[in-house]
Amino acid sequence: MNNSDSEIDLFNLLLKLLKFIKKNKKAIIAFFLLGTIIGCINYFRKASENKIIYEKTYLAESAVASSEVIVGIINSIGFKNEFPENDLELLSNKLRLSISVLESIKNISAEVQSTGKESSVIKLKIDWSDKNHIDSIVHGITHYINSIEYVKKRYDIDRKQQNQLISIIDNKINYYDEALGLNKISDSEKLLKQIVGKNEVLNYMELIDRKQKLEKQMSLLNSIEFIASSEAKIIERPSKKNDIIKVLGFGFASIFLFVFLKFFLFVIDKFKNIND
């Protein structure tokens, strides 16, 4: 076959294609529009799923358990890089969070961060998609930690021991107040030294100082205390590249589907004519 014959065959093929398009232009346009509509629906569905992802980091400490224990409890919730397979209702009850809040969470993870030779804090990182849900998520994590039996026992024991110490100190303070008459005078240390010995004054002041410190510890006795946090930052945005091409791709794919169907029906028709 020479070049001239190839050019003729190509020309004839082009004419047949043009005739096919002209004959079926309404159907081609209809299939293209249908495919484009499907592409648009798919685009908006994907757009609703692919939301902006935020990240926020917290530093926290616990007065009732070690940082390692609290980190282990947080990571045991089940969020790690993807939504857990846990039953949503079960997880909702554990954290006391609504399903919509749970579905906005992309990742919750914690690690121990050293702050010195022996001290450490808890570094908590939360990735989520709805900016309004962050406070609820933090409350949910706190509730989950407080619901752990080990944490509850440690909290109850610490609180009981501190109450006992405060009660003992109160008895000692009452002794000084009544036996030495310190409840009837000014709290000025100078005046106290004029009435009782130096050691008694020091003991009395130390008891009051110790009681105040214990009361402060009691007020800060929490399973987890958030001491610092970063600003929420965007770590992922929905990709909008080639969105139009993807939508139009559905339209052109529909045209190819129409051509395939026409060809398939043509083959069936030819096969029937041969048999007849």
Side-chain angles (χ1 to χ4, degrees), residues 27 75 89 126-127 147 190 210 213 217 228:
N75 289 332
E89 292 295 336
I126 302 173
D127 299 341
S147 69
K190 182 178 180 180
R210 178 61 175 154
K213 287 179 178 178
Q217 288 177 11

Side-chain angles (χ1 to χ4, degrees), residues 2-16:
N2 55 37
N3 290 339
S4 179
D5 292 334
S6 299
E7 290 175 359
I8 292 171
D9 289 342
L10 187 61
F11 181 73
N12 289 333
L13 182 62
L14 183 60
L15 285 176
K16 289 180 180 180

Side-chain angles (χ1 to χ4, degrees), residues 189 192-193 196-205:
E189 186 176 349
L192 287 174
K193 286 181 179 179
V196 296
K198 182 178 180 181
N199 289 337
E200 285 80 1
V201 172
L202 290 175
N203 288 339
Y204 183 75
M205 300 301 292

Side-chain angles (χ1 to χ4, degrees), residues 167-191:
S167 178
I168 293 170
I169 292 172
D170 272 336
N171 290 334
K172 290 287 186 181
I173 291 174
N174 289 335
Y175 163 76
Y176 280 108
D177 285 342
E178 295 174 7
L180 304 177
L182 299 182
N183 58 333
K184 299 177 182 179
I185 62 173
S186 168
D187 288 336
S188 167
E189 186 176 349
K190 182 178 180 180
L191 184 57

Side-chain angles (χ1 to χ4, degrees), residues 25 33 75 84 176 262:
K25 63 180 180 181
L33 291 175
N75 289 332
Y176 280 108
K262 289 290 290 184

